[in-house]
């Protein structure tokens, strides 16, 4: 991917997904495969990653491919998102073990968590507990996040007590929310279990509690187990844990994905055909992480360029226009909107407009996932 494209994406993209897990579960291998880079060191010893590695990942989207195929533009720019490879956590991380405090601070800065769980046995790759035990491994990471959140909640609560005694309404409101969290966290349950309202979550957003972040579990299986992953005992174990947490679990083989990342497009197709699969397993991971971050996609399509744009759910038309350029938002007049389904059914934007399928939408329109939009604005 060109450096210009990376710089452009970083300019407007704010949300990040952090990759976490125990040491030696394959985080850096999967990060490198996802970003098609060698930015993160992958080695058979704990903490080979110290500072977080950041990478930009293109989001595979059949709709984008189909629009580009029909329009045949001069340039194609797909949607993208930002991934952060964070060093492995160990038991005692919340008390500083294994540079835990530093690594936990990195997790606080991301918006969602991709938890890599080792689901393969290999005597040549050290496991911090001796052998893979997905349920225990998940609980080890989760407990450290819970303990770190409990410590933070108690500190924040203590710092607000004086203000509550003087009748400060904002402090009283925050303390009531923190009381709920402390009760849950003290029972070694994640903060997300407290069932806070949207308003309560917004009030404590600045505290960046770790166990309020949405989680995606990625199971790293061996090459021999990936074909029949659904029957793999380790994968079943992770699936059960994910279900309890109302999360999703996806199976990949880090080794296979690393090999695929080194191939050309044609070589990749041939390799996948030999394996009997249609796309890399990490495509599912990318789409799931994109959704986890709350991203949606709208498209702009013309002869010069077809581009996919990141927006968040609920974003109104002027805000979506501002993703392209702030002038578009400030001078917004209206949006000309065609749904993806109508675009495909009619055979393009012009036929869709002639068929009455292109709509004129105003400032209150909530841009939908898959919309193809042309913005009218006045600077």
């Amino acid at each position: 991917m060109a450096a210009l494209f990376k710089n452009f994406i970083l300019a407007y993209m704010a949300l990040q997904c952090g990759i976490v897990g125990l040491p030696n579960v394959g985080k850096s291998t999967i990060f490198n495969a996802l970003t098609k880079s060698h930015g993160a060191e992958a080695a058979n010893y704990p903490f080979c990653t110290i500072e977080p590695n950041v990478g930009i990942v293109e989001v595979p989207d059949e709709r984008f491919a189909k629009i580009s195929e029909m329009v045949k533009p001069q340039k194609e720019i797909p949607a993208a998102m930002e991934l952060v490879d964070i060093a492995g956590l160990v038991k005692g991380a919340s008390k500083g073990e294994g540079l835990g405090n530093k690594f936990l601070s990195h997790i606080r800065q991301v918006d969602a968590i991709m938890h890599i769980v080792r689901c393969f046995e290999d005597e040549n790759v050290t496991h911090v507990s001796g052998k893979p035990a997905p349920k225990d491994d998940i609980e080890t990471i989760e407990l450290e996040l819970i303990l770190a959140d409990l410590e933070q909640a108690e500190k924040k609560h203590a710092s607000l007590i004086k203000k509550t005694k003087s009748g400060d309404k904002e402090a009283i409101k925050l303390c009531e929310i923190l009381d709920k969290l402390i009760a849950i966290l003290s029972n070694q349950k994640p903060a997300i279990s407290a069932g806070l309202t949207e308003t309560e979550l917004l009030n404590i957003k600045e505290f960046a509690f770790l166990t309020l972040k949405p989680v995606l579990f990625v199971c790293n299986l061996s090459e021999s187990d990936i074909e029949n992953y659904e029957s793999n005992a380790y994968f079943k174990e992770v699936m059960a844990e994910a279900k309890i947490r109302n999360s999703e679990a996806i199976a990949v083989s880090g080794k296979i994905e690393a090999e695929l990342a080194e191939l050309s497009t044609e070589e990749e197709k041939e390799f996948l055909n030999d394996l009997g699969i249609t796309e890399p397993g990490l495509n599912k991971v990318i789409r799931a992480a994109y959704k986890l971050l709350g991203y949606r996609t709208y498209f702009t399509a013309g002869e010069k360029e077809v581009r996919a744009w990141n927006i968040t759910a609920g974003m109104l038309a002027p805000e979506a226009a501002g993703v392209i350029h702030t002038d578009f938002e400030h001078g917004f007049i209206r949006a000309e909107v065609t749904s993806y389904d109508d675009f495909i059914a009619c055979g393009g934007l012009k036929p869709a407009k002639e068929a009455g399928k292109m709509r004129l939408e105003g400032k209150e329109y909530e841009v939908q996932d898959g919309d193809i939009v042309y913005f009218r604005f006045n600077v």
Side-chain angles (χ1 to χ4, degrees):
M1 195 187 308
L4 179 62
F5 173 48
K6 287 189 177 182
N7 291 337
F8 173 81
I9 290 296
L10 283 170
Y12 79 82
M13 185 170 53
L15 305 182
Q16 294 182 322
C17 186
I19 301 178
V20 306
L22 292 170
N24 290 352
V25 297
K27 296 188 311 305
S28 295
T29 297
I30 289 174
F31 173 84
N32 287 338
L34 281 165
T35 58
K36 297 186 184 300
S37 71
H38 301 284
E41 183 180 358
N44 181 27
Y45 58 87
F47 313 121
C48 64
T49 301
I50 301 297
E51 292 301 323
N53 297 289
V54 180
I56 305 301
V57 180
E58 292 184 8
V59 180
D61 190 328
E62 291 181 2
R63 300 171 303 178
F64 176 78
K66 191 67 177 178
I67 293 169
S68 297
E69 181 184 324
M70 292 175 68
V71 175
K72 295 180 173 57
Q74 297 172 23
K75 190 194 309 184
E76 301 172 11
I77 303 180
M81 66 176 186
E82 195 169 341
L83 289 181
V84 183
D85 179 31
I86 297 167
L89 295 173
V90 295
K91 188 174 182 179
S94 59
K95 302 299 180 185
E97 291 292 328
L99 298 179
N101 290 331
K102 184 176 183 179
F103 301 158
L104 288 167
S105 71
H106 295 156
I107 302 172
R108 290 202 188 282
Q109 296 171 29
V110 303
D111 303 278
I113 293 172
M114 185 187 296
H115 187 162
I116 311 297
V117 184
R118 178 170 166 174
C119 294
F120 66 89
E121 295 182 13
D122 187 338
E123 61 183 19
N124 296 316
V125 180
T126 306
H127 187 283
V128 292
S129 300
K131 63 174 294 186
K135 183 176 184 297
D136 292 342
D137 293 351
I138 289 170
E139 289 178 349
T140 295
I141 295 292
E142 187 176 68
L143 180 58
E144 294 308 319
L145 301 185
I146 288 170
L147 292 175
D149 275 353
L150 178 58
E151 181 180 5
Q152 185 181 19
E154 289 175 338
K155 284 182 178 179
K156 295 291 184 185
H157 190 281
S159 70
L160 291 166
I161 288 297
K162 285 185 180 180
K163 290 184 179 181
T164 63
K165 290 178 179 177
S166 65
D168 186 311
K169 292 182 179 179
E170 185 66 24
I172 292 171
K173 179 171 62 179
L174 287 175
C175 277
E176 288 174 351
I177 300 171
L178 291 171
D179 282 335
K180 293 180 185 180
L181 290 181
I182 290 169
I184 288 291
L185 294 165
S186 296
N187 286 318
Q188 297 189 357
K189 299 291 183 183
I192 202 166
S193 305
L196 299 183
T197 65
E198 287 187 19
T199 301
E200 288 174 324
L201 290 170
L202 190 60
N203 286 333
I204 61 168
K205 185 178 180 181
E206 63 179 291
F207 301 153
F209 286 112
L210 301 168
T211 58
L212 282 177
K213 300 179 189 295
V215 180
L216 168 69
F217 293 99
V218 177
C219 309
N220 187 10
L221 278 73
S222 68
E223 295 168 278
S224 58
D225 288 333
I226 194 64
E227 186 174 354
N228 299 306
Y229 70 88
E230 291 181 336
S231 61
N232 180 273
Y234 289 148
F235 176 72
K236 289 180 179 179
E237 202 171 314
V238 178
M239 279 290 290
E241 293 301 306
K243 188 175 181 180
I244 292 170
R245 293 161 177 78
N246 197 29
S247 298
E248 185 179 357
I250 298 176
V252 300
S253 168
K255 280 191 175 181
I256 290 177
E257 300 300 330
E259 290 177 31
L260 283 169
E262 299 290 337
L263 302 178
S264 66
T265 302
E266 288 305 313
E267 290 171 332
E268 180 184 282
K269 286 181 181 178
E270 186 176 337
F271 189 88
L272 291 172
N273 284 334
D274 290 342
L275 293 174
I277 53 181
T278 57
E279 64 175 355
L282 288 183
N283 280 11
K284 296 178 184 177
V285 173
I286 295 168
R287 287 193 289 265
Y290 189 77
K291 183 178 178 182
L292 195 70
L293 285 167
Y295 275 138
R296 303 292 183 270
T297 304
Y298 79 84
F299 305 96
T300 52
E303 291 181 2
K304 288 186 177 180
E305 176 185 278
V306 168
R307 184 177 298 209
W309 300 90
N310 299 13
I311 57 172
T312 51
M315 190 172 280
L316 300 181
E319 297 173 285
V323 170
I324 299 176
H325 197 287
T326 53
D327 285 349
F328 283 35
E329 181 174 5
H330 297 151
F332 178 86
I333 300 173
R334 66 177 181 271
E336 298 177 0
V337 183
T338 306
S339 73
Y340 171 77
D341 289 341
D342 286 338
F343 174 90
I344 296 299
C346 295
L349 287 177
K350 187 176 179 180
K353 185 176 183 178
E354 291 170 349
K357 298 297 183 180
M358 180 181 286
R359 313 183 309 276
L360 297 182
E361 301 288 357
K363 293 182 178 180
E364 298 305 311
Y365 177 66
E366 187 177 305
V367 178
Q368 301 298 303
D369 185 51
D371 278 350
I372 301 168
V373 189
Y374 180 80
F375 292 105
R376 297 285 182 180
F377 69 101
N378 182 23
V379 179

